Amino acid sequence: MPIPDSMESRLAAIRTRMAAACARAGRASAEVALLPVSKTFGVEAVRQAMALGLRRFGENKTQEIRQKAAQFEADGPQWVMIGHLQTNKARDAARLAAEVQSLDRLDLARELDLRLQKEGRALDVLVQVKTSPEPSKFGLDPAALPAFLRELAAFHSLRPRGLMTLAVQSDDPQAVRECFCCLRMWRGRLREDGFLGLERLSMGMSGDFELAIEEGSTEVRIGSAIFGARSYPARLPGGA
Ligand SMILES: *Cc1c(COP(=O)(O)O)cnc(C)c1O
């Protein structure tokens, strides 16, 4: 039996709730991946999570990835960039990230592609979409997605694999659900337009992942429910 309120017990509880949400939605558990979000937590927490079988970790600052990555050998974690990425940090992302989920504009795509070419590697990317009316959220306006994806095709080092969003912060589950529903709808529309590489929907966090799974999420990004409370709010403007 895991110790109560250990990382192991919190992780087990999340997996149980994920499985239950899948069952409610008539989905197989294997359809939904878990991306633990380790931002603000130290390498000890990451090591502990690795001992529990986790390998990919979401982070929102390239600087933090750099600091953490330096403390692991080559078989260390895979770092997934989920926070707002400044264009002048594209080089760090191209070197350090296994994946970027917060691609939301062409100048960033262009710079990432250039830096990736220099590194001689390609990168899976998700396009971050603004599905909520909140003014502070990053992400592409959904209506701009078709044109954006057409332009992305020119950047051969970027492999668009799906869409990512943050739902509105609201006590109204229906409002949250609509954000997730919007993302799934756009994936369907884009696939009909021929963007068949778009399979993944990264949506759902500690506070709303069950709704996200019910609405078709293929990966939930969970921080505080696994690692504990952070000492700053989860959603600083800028994903800082
Ligand atoms: C911090 C963060 C998460 C995880 O948030 P929790 O509420 O701690 O689960 C997920 N996605 C993004 C983009 C984040 O910045």
Side-chain angles (χ1 to χ4, degrees), residues 49-184:
M50 290 183 84
L52 297 171
L54 300 172
R55 283 291 173 276
R56 298 166 76 235
F57 294 90
E59 289 282 344
N60 67 347
K61 286 179 177 172
T62 52
Q63 189 189 340
E64 195 170 330
I65 296 178
R66 182 155 15 90
Q67 285 165 354
K68 286 180 184 166
Q71 301 187 56
F72 289 93
E73 304 293 323
D75 63 346
Q78 294 196 312
W79 305 106
V80 177
M81 183 65 189
I82 60 171
H84 179 66
L85 186 54
Q86 288 169 7
T87 308
N88 65 8
K89 300 284 166 58
R91 179 163 148 262
D92 286 338
R95 284 186 177 166
L96 298 166
E99 176 177 311
V100 169
Q101 297 201 348
S102 45
L103 183 64
D104 62 355
R105 56 195 197 281
L106 270 183
D107 69 335
L108 175 60
R110 189 175 296 114
E111 191 65 18
L112 262 180
D113 186 62
L114 200 70
R115 298 296 179 176
L116 286 161
Q117 286 179 36
K118 289 188 176 153
E119 297 292 322
R121 60 187 291 244
L123 196 67
D124 285 354
V125 291
L126 304 187
V127 179
Q128 182 172 354
V129 183
K130 185 173 149 54
T131 54
S132 128
E134 287 172 21
S136 65
K137 293 268 155 51
F138 290 101
L140 205 69
D141 194 326
L145 277 167
F148 183 74
L149 281 156
R150 273 194 297 277
E151 301 238 41
L152 269 195
F155 304 124
H156 299 289
S157 302
L158 302 179
R159 297 182 297 232
R161 296 296 196 214
L163 307 176
M164 183 272 248
T165 202
L166 281 88
V168 67
Q169 239 173 336
S170 166
D171 294 333
D172 175 9
Q174 196 49 39
V176 173
R177 207 180 268 281
E178 273 166 25
C179 297
F180 298 142
C181 190
C182 171
L183 201 69
R184 188 191 57 213

Side-chain angles (χ1 to χ4, degrees), residues 165-223:
T165 202
L166 281 88
V168 67
Q169 239 173 336
S170 166
D171 294 333
D172 175 9
Q174 196 49 39
V176 173
R177 207 180 268 281
E178 273 166 25
C179 297
F180 298 142
C181 190
C182 171
L183 201 69
R184 188 191 57 213
M185 200 266 305
W186 273 100
R187 181 189 58 181
R189 201 183 272 195
L190 292 163
R191 286 177 59 84
E192 276 172 23
D193 283 355
F195 297 108
L196 299 177
L198 298 181
E199 291 178 343
R200 295 166 49 191
L201 292 177
S202 172
M203 55 189 200
M205 312 186 3
S206 292
D208 57 18
F209 70 91
E210 285 146 313
L211 291 175
I213 290 172
E214 288 172 23
E215 294 301 328
S217 174
T218 67
E219 59 201 276
V220 293
R221 309 179 305 269
I222 311 267

